[in-house]
């Protein structure tokens, strides 16, 4: 009888050991899945003012426009700090479109795009954005 009791005791310990090993194998996978879930959830919030500022200061206006478009797509609310970035991005996109239409000879579309440019330009409040827009005007030959 004692031999049978030892065999059950050893089988129970072996079962605990197998379960412990399986749990240790599952933990890294579960942690990675949780990390991916929370990272994706965070990215759906959109870009902050600091990220928009970085692209603006670097002069990467195309990337700034991408981030602004992404923020609009995910429904991020526009704060007072972000308004100038959004307006500048719209001006930049209009300037690029104006230059493209003008060089293609499509004067009607170019003039419509120029109106959009001036509407968005009037929304700029800070001098730094107006100065940067002056450089954009020179590059894309905005009258």
């Amino acid at each position: 009888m004692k031999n049978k009791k030892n065999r059950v005791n050893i089988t129970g310990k072996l079962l605990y050991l197998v379960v412990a090993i399986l749990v240790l194998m599952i933990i890294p996978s579960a942690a990675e899945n949780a990390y991916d879930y929370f990272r994706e959830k965070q990215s759906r919030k959109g870009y902050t003012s600091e990220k928009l500022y970085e692209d603006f200061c670097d002069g990467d206006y195309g990337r700034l426009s991408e981030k602004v478009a992404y923020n609009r797509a995910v429904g991020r609310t526009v704060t007072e700090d972000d308004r100038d970035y959004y307006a500048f991005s719209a001006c930049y996109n209009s300037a690029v479109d104006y230059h493209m239409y003008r060089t293609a000879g499509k004067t009607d579309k170019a003039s419509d795009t120029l109106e959009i440019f001036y509407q968005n330009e009037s929304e700029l409040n800070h001098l730094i954005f107006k100065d940067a827009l002056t450089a954009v005007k020179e590059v894309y030959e905005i009258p």
Side-chain angles (χ1 to χ4, degrees):
M1 187 79 153
K2 188 168 181 151
N3 192 13
K4 188 174 181 182
K5 197 172 191 182
N6 276 342
R7 196 176 319 151
V8 172
N9 195 12
I10 290 174
T11 306
K13 288 180 182 180
L14 188 59
L15 185 61
Y16 282 128
L17 180 65
V18 169
V19 169
I21 290 172
L22 289 175
V23 167
L24 290 175
M25 290 173 58
I26 292 173
I27 288 175
S29 176
E32 185 176 332
N33 289 340
Y35 175 75
D36 288 343
Y37 171 76
F38 288 112
R39 184 181 63 191
E40 184 177 323
K41 192 172 182 180
Q42 181 68 24
S43 71
R44 290 185 188 160
K45 291 182 180 179
Y47 294 99
T48 61
S49 297
E50 290 80 20
K51 294 294 182 184
L52 299 176
Y53 175 75
E54 289 172 8
D55 287 333
F56 179 77
C57 286
D58 291 342
D60 193 356
Y61 303 139
R63 182 74 178 133
L64 174 67
S65 294
E66 290 174 11
K67 288 181 179 178
V68 166
Y70 181 81
N71 281 355
R72 286 187 175 137
V74 296
R76 184 176 173 90
T77 57
V78 181
T79 64
E80 190 63 36
D81 296 336
D82 294 344
R83 289 185 197 275
D84 282 328
Y85 296 111
Y86 282 68
F88 182 83
S89 174
C91 285
Y92 176 76
N93 291 334
S94 297
V96 171
D97 290 345
Y98 169 78
H99 184 69
M100 177 189 65
Y101 288 137
R102 196 176 59 85
T103 55
K106 298 180 179 182
T107 56
D108 292 340
K109 289 185 177 183
S111 63
D112 292 343
T113 306
L114 197 58
E115 289 177 24
I116 295 169
F117 177 87
Y118 287 126
Q119 288 172 352
N120 289 312
E121 183 182 25
S122 66
E123 294 178 16
L124 293 175
N125 296 322
H126 294 92
L127 186 59
I128 189 171
F129 292 99
K130 292 176 182 178
D131 289 343
L133 196 59
T134 302
V136 169
K137 283 181 179 180
E138 291 175 9
V139 170
Y140 293 105
E141 302 170 354
I142 303 291

